[in-house]
Amino acid sequence: MSRFSFLVYSASVASAMSILVEGFSWVCEDVGVGWEALGQWGEGVVRGEPLAGGVGLNQVWSVRVDGRRAVGRLGRRSDADLAWETGLLLHLHRQGMAVPVPLPTTEGRYFADGLVVMSYVEGRPPESAGDWRRVADTLRQLHQLTRGWPQRPGWRSSTDLLHAESGTRVDLGAMPAEGVERCRAAWARLDGRGMSVVHGDPNPGNIRMTADRVTLIDWDEAHLDVPDLDLALPHNAAGLDDEAYDIAAQAKAALDAAVCWDPTGTDPFGAKRLADVRAV
């Protein structure tokens, strides 16, 4: 190899190594950024593996706190938002409802720098019509225990969106005007009803069942709204009459569309849910 060729080869290797090291550093930083707060739960806390469901706004990982399996969720929610969510879960836990229980830091706080650590919940998703009836009973327990609960900071109920244009995860201005008209027509059918906390996303992946309990996990979309939004369940497990089920299903599809709308089209879920909302 000539001296010139050797110099070119050496420069190419050095450049490639630099890119590899830089890329590796970026990956490490991306995975670990923000998780420094985990140390506030004690010196022996260990972060394990990413868990299914840790997408979008949050990173969700298995962790161990004092040797016990737990779940850490890191996101960009405000302190006021996290105080509302952790306060709700602690209230439900004290009332005897099965929920992921927020674990305090060594200083007694239930969140730090966007990080929440909760107890790990064992179980399986619902499968049969009987399973879903148990889920409906659990959702109704939630609704009964949270009448008069304050709204999650920054959020809007479906009936608020009859007049408001935006909330924490909603921007109706980004949606097609005709689609907004359809959504508001669906929400108008709920107007005047009582409010409670709704889970907001009771899909099979957010439910853990055992022989003696049903636990709802992933409370990221919980907020104050009309309870029937939670009750358009498979097998009509909540036992709604035909009209009530249609009202609930249409209003829920409209809310899903508004919350999940992606104007770039990268995530098609919002558009698919909007297609489920009938024309006015």
Coordinates of all heavy atoms in Angstrom, one line a residue, residues 193-230:
R193 N -75.3 15.9 30.7 CA -75.1 14.7 31.6 C -74.1 15.0 32.7 O -73.2 15.8 32.6 CB -74.7 13.5 30.8 CG -75.7 13.1 29.7 CD -75.4 11.7 29.2 NE -76.2 11.4 28.0 CZ -76.2 10.2 27.5 NH1 -75.5 9.2 28.0 NH2 -77.0 9.9 26.5
G194 N -74.2 14.2 33.8 CA -73.3 14.3 34.9 C -71.9 13.8 34.5 O -71.7 13.1 33.5
M195 N -70.9 14.2 35.3 CA -69.5 14.0 35.0 C -68.8 13.2 36.1 O -69.2 13.2 37.3 CB -68.7 15.3 34.9 CG -69.2 16.2 33.8 SD -68.4 15.8 32.2 CE -69.0 17.1 31.2
S196 N -67.8 12.4 35.7 CA -66.9 11.8 36.7 C -65.6 11.6 36.0 O -65.5 11.9 34.8 CB -67.5 10.4 37.1 OG -67.5 9.5 36.1
V197 N -64.6 11.0 36.6 CA -63.4 10.6 36.0 C -63.7 9.4 35.0 O -64.3 8.5 35.5 CB -62.3 10.3 37.0 CG1 -61.0 9.7 36.2 CG2 -61.9 11.6 37.8
V198 N -63.2 9.5 33.8 CA -63.2 8.4 32.9 C -61.8 7.9 32.7 O -60.8 8.7 32.7 CB -63.9 8.7 31.5 CG1 -65.3 9.1 31.7 CG2 -63.1 9.8 30.8
H199 N -61.6 6.6 32.5 CA -60.3 6.1 32.3 C -59.8 6.6 30.9 O -58.6 7.0 30.8 CB -60.3 4.6 32.3 CG -59.0 4.0 32.0 ND1 -58.6 3.7 30.7 CD2 -57.9 3.6 32.8 CE1 -57.3 3.1 30.7 NE2 -56.9 3.1 32.0
G200 N -60.6 6.6 30.0 CA -60.3 7.2 28.7 C -59.8 6.2 27.6 O -59.9 6.5 26.4
D201 N -59.3 5.1 28.1 CA -58.7 4.1 27.1 C -58.8 2.7 27.6 O -57.8 2.0 27.7 CB -57.3 4.5 26.8 CG -56.7 3.7 25.5 OD1 -57.5 3.2 24.8 OD2 -55.5 3.7 25.4
P202 N -60.0 2.2 27.9 CA -60.1 0.8 28.4 C -60.0 -0.3 27.4 O -60.9 -1.1 27.2 CB -61.5 0.8 29.1 CG -62.3 1.8 28.3 CD -61.3 2.8 27.8
N203 N -58.9 -0.3 26.7 CA -58.7 -1.4 25.7 C -58.0 -2.6 26.3 O -57.5 -2.4 27.5 CB -57.9 -0.8 24.5 CG -56.4 -0.6 24.8 OD1 -55.7 -1.6 25.0 ND2 -56.0 0.6 24.9
P204 N -58.0 -3.7 25.7 CA -57.5 -4.9 26.4 C -56.1 -4.8 26.9 O -55.7 -5.3 27.9 CB -57.6 -6.0 25.3 CG -58.7 -5.6 24.4 CD -58.6 -4.1 24.4
G205 N -55.2 -4.0 26.2 CA -53.9 -3.8 26.6 C -53.7 -3.0 27.9 O -52.7 -3.0 28.5
N206 N -54.8 -2.3 28.3 CA -54.7 -1.5 29.5 C -55.5 -2.1 30.7 O -55.9 -1.4 31.6 CB -55.3 -0.1 29.2 CG -54.4 0.7 28.4 OD1 -53.2 0.5 28.4 ND2 -54.9 1.7 27.7
I207 N -55.8 -3.4 30.6 CA -56.6 -4.1 31.6 C -55.8 -5.4 32.0 O -55.3 -6.1 31.2 CB -58.0 -4.5 31.1 CG1 -58.7 -3.2 30.6 CG2 -58.7 -5.3 32.1 CD1 -59.9 -3.5 29.8
R208 N -55.7 -5.6 33.3 CA -55.1 -6.8 33.9 C -56.1 -7.5 34.8 O -56.5 -6.9 35.7 CB -53.8 -6.4 34.6 CG -52.7 -5.8 33.8 CD -52.1 -6.8 32.8 NE -51.0 -6.2 32.1 CZ -51.2 -5.6 30.9 NH1 -52.4 -5.5 30.3 NH2 -50.1 -5.1 30.2
M209 N -56.4 -8.8 34.5 CA -57.4 -9.5 35.2 C -56.7 -10.7 35.9 O -55.8 -11.4 35.4 CB -58.5 -10.0 34.3 CG -59.1 -9.0 33.5 SD -60.6 -9.6 32.5 CE -61.7 -9.9 33.9
T210 N -57.3 -11.0 37.1 CA -57.0 -12.3 37.8 C -58.4 -12.8 38.2 O -59.4 -12.2 37.9 CB -56.1 -12.1 39.0 OG1 -56.8 -11.3 40.0 CG2 -54.8 -11.4 38.6
A211 N -58.3 -13.9 38.9 CA -59.6 -14.6 39.3 C -60.4 -13.7 40.3 O -61.6 -13.7 40.3 CB -59.3 -15.9 40.0
D212 N -59.7 -12.8 41.0 CA -60.4 -12.0 42.0 C -60.3 -10.5 41.9 O -60.8 -9.8 42.7 CB -59.9 -12.4 43.4 CG -58.4 -12.2 43.6 OD1 -57.7 -11.8 42.6 OD2 -57.9 -12.4 44.7
R213 N -59.7 -10.0 40.8 CA -59.7 -8.6 40.6 C -59.6 -8.2 39.1 O -59.1 -9.0 38.3 CB -58.6 -7.9 41.4 CG -57.2 -8.4 41.0 CD -56.1 -7.5 41.4 NE -54.8 -8.0 41.1 CZ -54.2 -8.1 39.9 NH1 -54.9 -7.6 38.8 NH2 -53.0 -8.6 39.7
V214 N -59.9 -6.9 38.8 CA -59.7 -6.3 37.5 C -59.0 -5.0 37.8 O -59.5 -4.2 38.6 CB -61.1 -6.0 36.8 CG1 -60.8 -5.3 35.5 CG2 -61.8 -7.3 36.5
T215 N -57.9 -4.8 37.2 CA -57.1 -3.6 37.4 C -56.9 -2.9 36.0 O -56.5 -3.4 35.0 CB -55.7 -3.9 37.9 OG1 -55.8 -4.7 39.1 CG2 -54.9 -2.7 38.2
L216 N -57.2 -1.6 36.1 CA -57.0 -0.7 34.9 C -55.6 -0.1 35.0 O -55.3 0.5 36.1 CB -58.1 0.4 34.9 CG -59.5 -0.1 34.8 CD1 -60.5 1.1 35.0 CD2 -59.9 -0.8 33.5
I217 N -54.8 -0.2 34.0 CA -53.5 0.4 34.0 C -53.5 1.5 32.9 O -54.4 1.7 32.2 CB -52.4 -0.6 33.8 CG1 -52.5 -1.2 32.4 CG2 -52.4 -1.7 34.9 CD1 -51.3 -2.1 32.0
D218 N -52.4 2.3 32.9 CA -52.2 3.3 31.9 C -53.3 4.4 32.0 O -54.2 4.4 31.1 CB -52.1 2.8 30.5 CG -51.6 3.8 29.5 OD1 -51.4 5.0 29.9 OD2 -51.4 3.5 28.3
W219 N -53.2 5.3 32.9 CA -54.2 6.3 33.2 C -53.8 7.6 32.5 O -54.2 8.7 32.9 CB -54.3 6.5 34.7 CG -54.9 5.3 35.4 CD1 -54.4 4.1 35.6 CD2 -56.3 5.2 35.8 NE1 -55.2 3.3 36.2 CE2 -56.4 3.9 36.4 CE3 -57.4 6.1 35.9 CZ2 -57.6 3.5 36.9 CZ3 -58.5 5.7 36.5 CH2 -58.7 4.4 37.0
D220 N -53.0 7.6 31.5 CA -52.5 8.7 30.8 C -53.6 9.6 30.1 O -53.4 10.8 29.9 CB -51.5 8.3 29.7 CG -50.5 9.4 29.4 OD1 -50.0 10.1 30.3 OD2 -50.2 9.6 28.2
E221 N -54.7 9.0 29.8 CA -55.8 9.7 29.2 C -57.0 9.9 30.1 O -58.1 10.4 29.7 CB -56.3 9.0 27.9 CG -55.2 9.0 26.8 CD -55.7 8.4 25.5 OE1 -56.9 8.3 25.3 OE2 -54.8 8.1 24.7
A222 N -56.8 9.6 31.4 CA -57.9 9.8 32.3 C -58.2 11.3 32.5 O -57.3 12.1 32.5 CB -57.6 9.2 33.7
H223 N -59.5 11.7 32.6 CA -59.9 13.1 32.8 C -61.4 13.1 33.2 O -62.0 12.0 33.2 CB -59.6 13.9 31.5 CG -60.5 13.4 30.3 ND1 -60.2 12.2 29.6 CD2 -61.6 13.9 29.8 CE1 -61.1 12.1 28.7 NE2 -62.0 13.1 28.7
L224 N -61.9 14.2 33.5 CA -63.3 14.4 33.8 C -64.1 14.4 32.6 O -63.8 15.3 31.7 CB -63.5 15.6 34.7 CG -64.8 15.7 35.4 CD1 -64.8 14.8 36.6 CD2 -65.0 17.2 35.9
D225 N -65.1 13.6 32.5 CA -66.0 13.5 31.3 C -67.3 12.8 31.6 O -67.5 12.3 32.7 CB -65.2 12.9 30.1 CG -65.6 13.6 28.8 OD1 -66.8 13.9 28.5 OD2 -64.6 13.9 28.0
V226 N -68.1 12.5 30.6 CA -69.3 11.8 30.7 C -69.0 10.3 30.9 O -68.3 9.7 30.0 CB -70.2 12.0 29.5 CG1 -71.5 11.2 29.6 CG2 -70.6 13.5 29.5
P227 N -69.5 9.6 31.9 CA -69.1 8.2 32.2 C -69.3 7.2 31.0 O -68.5 6.3 30.8 CB -69.9 7.8 33.4 CG -70.1 9.1 34.1 CD -70.3 10.1 33.0
D228 N -70.4 7.5 30.2 CA -70.7 6.5 29.1 C -69.6 6.4 28.1 O -69.5 5.4 27.3 CB -72.0 6.9 28.4 CG -73.2 6.3 29.2 OD1 -73.0 5.8 30.3 OD2 -74.3 6.4 28.7
L229 N -68.6 7.4 28.1 CA -67.5 7.3 27.1 C -66.6 6.1 27.4 O -66.0 5.5 26.5 CB -66.6 8.5 27.2 CG -67.2 9.8 26.6 CD1 -66.4 11.0 27.0 CD2 -67.2 9.7 25.1
D230 N -66.7 5.6 28.7 CA -65.9 4.4 29.0 C -66.7 3.1 28.7 O -66.1 2.0 28.9 CB -65.6 4.4 30.5 CG -64.3 5.1 30.8 OD1 -63.5 5.3 29.9 OD2 -64.1 5.4 32.0

